[in-house]
Amino acid sequence: MSRYEPVIGLEVHAELNSNSKVFCDDPNIFGEEPNSQVSPISLGLPGTLPVLNRVAFEKSLRTAVALKCEITRSTSFDRKHYYYPDLPKNYQISQDYEPLGRNGSVELHLKDGEKKTIRINNIHLEEDAGKLVHPTDPGSRKLSWVDLNRAGMPLLEIVTEPDLRNLEEMEIFMQTLRGMLRYLDVSDCKMQEGSLRFEVNLSIRPVGEETYGTKVEVKNVGSIKAALRAAKFEIIRQTEVLDSGGEVVQQTCLWDDEKGETRPMRSKEVAKDYRYFPDPDLPPVVISDTWLISVENDLPELQDAKKTRFVSQYGIPEYDAGVLVSDRALADYFEDCCSQHDSPKAFSNWIMVELLRELQNRELEIEECPLTSEYLVDLVKLVEAGTISHNIGKEVLVDVMDSGKPPSSIVDEKGLKQESDEGALLDIINQVIAENPGPAEEFGNGKDKAIGFLMGQVMKKTQGKANPGICKPLFEKILRT
Ligand code: ADP
Ligand code: MG
C-alpha cells in the first residue's frame, strides 16, 4: 500500500460535430488538405466578425443539461489572450466569466458495484486553435508548418472537480463521459483524430490528509490509454519527489507518448496572464425557459435508462445489457438485429464475444464494421437452423470481417454446411470406432467423458462440419445397445 493518495481532476476537450465551425461557416471536417478550410475569419484577418453557430451552441447546451449543470441563463464569450503561431488573432474566443454551465455531475458505476459522483466545475464553449506540423527537413533544420483548418472548430471544454482518486475511477470517468457525448450525438469522440483530448491535473497527498497537494497539469494527452499512462507516470514521479524529501513544483507538463514520460513545459500560468475580457463582437446568449425545456425534453435515452430497458424488453442479463449500451452505436446495432429476428440472447453473445474482439483486433468502430446487422442476423439464422455449427459460425464471422461478403455466400462458396446426413455420418463414425477401439469400449462401458475424444475425431475427419446433435445418438446406438 502506497502512503499517498492521488487526487485527479480532468479538463476534457471535445470537438463538436456541427457541420461548420463555431464562429463562421467554414466546414468542420477532419483530414482535408492543409489550409483549405479557412475563410478570412479562420485566418483572423482584421475587419472580420464572428457569428455564433446555433447548432454548436445547442449541442453544448444539450451536454450541459445532460451533465446536470446549472445553466447560465445569460452566457457570454470572452477573449483569452496568448501568442502562438497557430492562433492568428492572438486570442481564443472562450468563456470565462459566464460559462454555459456550472456545478454539474456525472455518476460512475465502479467495478465493485459501488457508485461515485464526480462533480463538474463548469462546461463552456470555445474555438479550437490551428495546428503546427513539424516536417523532417533533409537539411536537418527545424521546420514548423502552420495548418489553420482546425482554427475555429467548435470545442466544448468540461472541467471536473478534483474528485477522482485512482486510475480505475479515472478510466471509468473517461469512458462514461465519452459514451455520454456519443449518446448525445455532440461529438464523434474519435481520439485518433483528436476530437477528444484530456488534460490531466494530478497531485498526491498522504493517506488521511485532507488538504490537497500541489498539482501538475499534463497536456497533450490524446487518448484514454495515454491519459492513464501519464497519470501513472506522475503518481510514481511525485511519490519519488516527496519520498526523497523534495517538493512537487506546480507546473504544466507535456506528455511524450513515445518516451512514456511527462516533460516540464512552463511554470504554471494563471488566469490574469490571459487578460480575459468580454468579447465585444459577440453579444451574450440568453436562454429562455422555452428553449431550455425543449432541450431537456429532447434529450435522447442515455446509457442507464437504455440498460434498464434492454434487460426488461429483451430479457438479457444485466451484464450483457451493460456491455451493449457502453456505446450508443453498438446498442443501436443490437437493436437493429433484434428488430429483424427474435433471438436477443444469441445476438448479445455473438456481439460481446466474437464481434467486439474482431473489431478491437482491427481497430474498427462498430459504424465501420463489415459485418452489418443484416449479416449477423443471416449468420445467427444459419447456426440456429443447424446449417452450420457454432464453431464454423465463428470462422464465418471472421471471414465476413475480412471479405465483407454475406455469411450465406461464404458458407456456399467454401462448402461449410454442416453434415447432417445420417448415412454419411454413420460411415465416418464406424471408421472412428474401428481406429479407436479403446475409447470406443470406454464409452460403451458407460464412461460418458469418452465421447469428447470420439467426437473430436469425427470433427477432424469432417473439418468440423459434422452435426454433433446427430453423431452423439449414433455413437450411443452403436456402442451402448
Ligand atoms: P487552474 O486555475 O490551475 O486551471 P483549476 O482550479 O481551474 O486550476 O483546476 C483545473 C483542474 O485541476 C480541474 O480539473 C481541477 O479539478 C484540477 N485540480 C485543481 N486542484 C487540484 C489538485 N490539488 N490536485 C489535482 N487536481 C486539481
Ligand atoms: Mg487549467
Side-chain angles (χ1 to χ4, degrees):
M1 266 300 275
S2 167
R3 289 175 296 112
Y4 299 106
E5 171 187 58
V7 170
I8 308 166
L10 296 176
E11 291 163 276
V12 184
H13 282 103
E15 256 165 24
L16 296 173
N17 58 3
S18 55
N19 291 330
S20 49
K21 293 186 179 179
V22 58
F23 296 117
C24 68
D25 62 5
D26 289 346
N28 173 11
I29 338 177
F30 177 82
E32 296 298 297
E33 187 67 18
N35 297 308
S36 64
Q37 318 290 310
V38 287
S39 62
I41 296 192
S42 294
L43 292 172
L45 297 188
T48 55
L49 286 172
V51 176
L52 178 61
N53 177 333
R54 186 184 177 101
V55 172
F57 185 83
E58 280 199 334
K59 286 182 186 261
S60 311
L61 183 55
R62 192 188 305 164
T63 313
V65 169
L67 291 174
K68 304 192 182 79
C69 287
E70 292 159 14
I71 303 300
T72 308
R73 291 311 193 86
S74 175
T75 182
S76 54
F77 293 92
D78 304 297
R79 294 183 176 182
K80 176 181 181 178
H81 297 82
Y82 66 95
Y83 178 85
Y84 207 63
D86 65 10
L87 187 75
K89 300 195 297 300
N90 290 335
Y91 63 83
Q92 175 195 26
I93 304 177
S94 180
Q95 299 195 286
D96 186 54
Y97 296 106
E98 297 295 346
L100 176 57
R102 292 190 175 96
N103 301 326
S105 64
V106 175
E107 189 165 275
L108 304 188
H109 298 273
L110 302 178
K111 292 204 180 106
D112 57 9
E114 294 290 307
K115 289 182 184 169
K116 173 162 180 171
T117 301
I118 304 301
R119 292 168 301 155
I120 301 296
N121 176 287
N122 79 82
I123 170 170
H124 60 268
L125 175 60
E126 58 189 28
E127 58 177 344
D128 209 345
K131 226 189 249 180
L132 290 194
V133 185
H134 306 285
T136 33
D137 175 44
S140 69
R141 288 170 306 172
K142 282 196 172 166
L143 294 180
S144 293
W145 290 346
V146 181
D147 177 5
L148 291 176
N149 281 354
R150 202 177 70 178
M153 285 198 184
L155 203 57
L156 194 60
E157 176 163 354
I158 300 165
V159 183
T160 77
E161 293 293 343
D163 288 345
L164 300 160
R165 291 290 173 272
N166 55 50
L167 297 182
E168 182 200 320
E169 290 179 9
M170 186 178 158
E171 179 171 15
I172 293 175
F173 174 82
M174 292 188 284
Q175 263 152 3
T176 306
L177 187 65
R178 179 173 191 266
M180 215 159 157
L181 296 174
R182 283 170 55 91
Y183 263 82
L184 293 166
D185 186 28
V186 298
S187 171
D188 61 22
C189 293
K190 286 193 184 159
M191 282 179 279
Q192 63 281 21
E193 295 183 0
S195 46
L196 186 63
R197 316 194 287 263
F198 300 97
E199 276 152 35
V200 181
N201 296 270
L202 191 145
S203 61
I204 60 173
R205 61 182 175 186
V207 172
E209 173 69 53
E210 294 226 340
T211 44
Y212 294 144
T214 307
K215 74 166 168 130
V216 163
E217 176 172 349
V218 187
K219 287 188 183 284
N220 194 34
V221 192
S223 70
I224 290 181
K225 216 165 113 193
L228 293 167
R229 287 175 68 211
K232 193 169 174 192
F233 179 88
E234 270 304 309
I235 294 171
I236 294 171
R237 188 187 70 80
Q238 294 183 22
T239 302
E240 281 168 7
V241 170
L242 294 191
D243 277 348
S244 60
E247 273 179 30
V248 174
V249 180
Q250 178 159 357
Q251 60 188 354
T252 304
C253 297
L254 270 187
W255 169 247
D256 184 330
D257 203 53
E258 260 168 46
K259 293 206 179 103
E261 59 184 35
T262 60
R263 175 153 33 86
M265 182 164 84
R266 54 172 182 249
S267 65
K268 172 74 198 146
E269 76 283 359
V270 288
K272 72 172 188 208
D273 297 334
Y274 291 125
R275 291 187 175 269
Y276 280 104
F277 67 76
D279 193 316
D281 292 340
L282 287 159
V285 182
V286 177
I287 301 165
S288 67
D289 288 350
T290 347
W291 191 4
L292 188 54
I293 290 169
S294 80
V295 169
E296 285 168 352
N297 289 342
D298 289 349
L299 276 191
E301 180 186 44
L302 293 178
Q303 264 178 18
D304 290 354
K306 205 186 276 288
K307 183 175 167 188
T308 312
R309 179 169 65 80
F310 275 17
V311 172
S312 64
Q313 182 175 342
Y314 298 108
I316 53 173
E318 231 179 81
Y319 175 82
D320 294 35
V323 176
L324 293 171
V325 305
S326 63
D327 185 78
R328 181 177 174 175
L330 188 68
D332 289 346
Y333 181 95
F334 168 74
E335 286 205 280
D336 277 350
C337 293
C338 294
S339 71
Q340 298 166 58
H341 179 65
D342 185 26
S343 285
K345 183 58 184 152
F347 291 128
S348 122
N349 286 347
W350 281 97
I351 292 172
M352 289 196 308
V353 184
E354 308 298 329
L355 186 58
L356 287 182
R357 184 195 57 230
E358 295 303 319
L359 286 173
Q360 209 171 16
N361 288 345
R362 291 168 171 76
E363 294 184 3
L364 288 178
E365 302 283 342
I366 183 78
E367 292 98 320
E368 308 159 314
C369 182
L371 184 86
T372 60
S373 65
E374 287 77 14
Y375 287 180
L376 183 59
V377 170
D378 184 14
L379 181 65
V380 165
K381 282 184 177 168
L382 288 168
V383 175
E384 284 176 351
T387 313
I388 55 173
S389 68
H390 190 85
N391 278 333
I392 295 284
K394 292 184 195 172
E395 287 170 30
V396 173
L397 183 140
V398 174
D399 202 325
V400 179
M401 293 297 285
D402 290 332
S403 69
K405 290 185 189 162
S408 349
S409 10
I410 292 173
V411 169
D412 285 344
E413 275 170 29
K414 300 205 164 166
L416 297 175
K417 278 208 177 102
Q418 185 158 255
E419 181 59 82
S420 299
D421 178 66
E422 274 203 26
L425 289 174
L426 203 55
D427 286 347
I428 294 164
I429 287 173
N430 281 325
Q431 269 181 44
V432 168
I433 292 175
E435 287 164 13
N436 304 281
E441 197 185 324
E442 282 176 20
F443 184 69
N445 292 338
K447 200 173 160 206
D448 286 339
K449 261 171 117 184
I451 191 72
F453 177 81
L454 295 169
M455 268 313 299
Q457 298 306 305
V458 173
M459 286 302 185
K460 233 184 198 169
K461 286 189 191 293
T462 59
Q463 283 96 45
K465 287 185 288 188
N467 185 337
I470 295 183
C471 293
K472 266 192 202 155
L474 288 177
F475 271 114
E476 282 175 5
K477 207 163 129 193
I478 299 172
L479 298 170
R480 288 188 171 172
T481 50

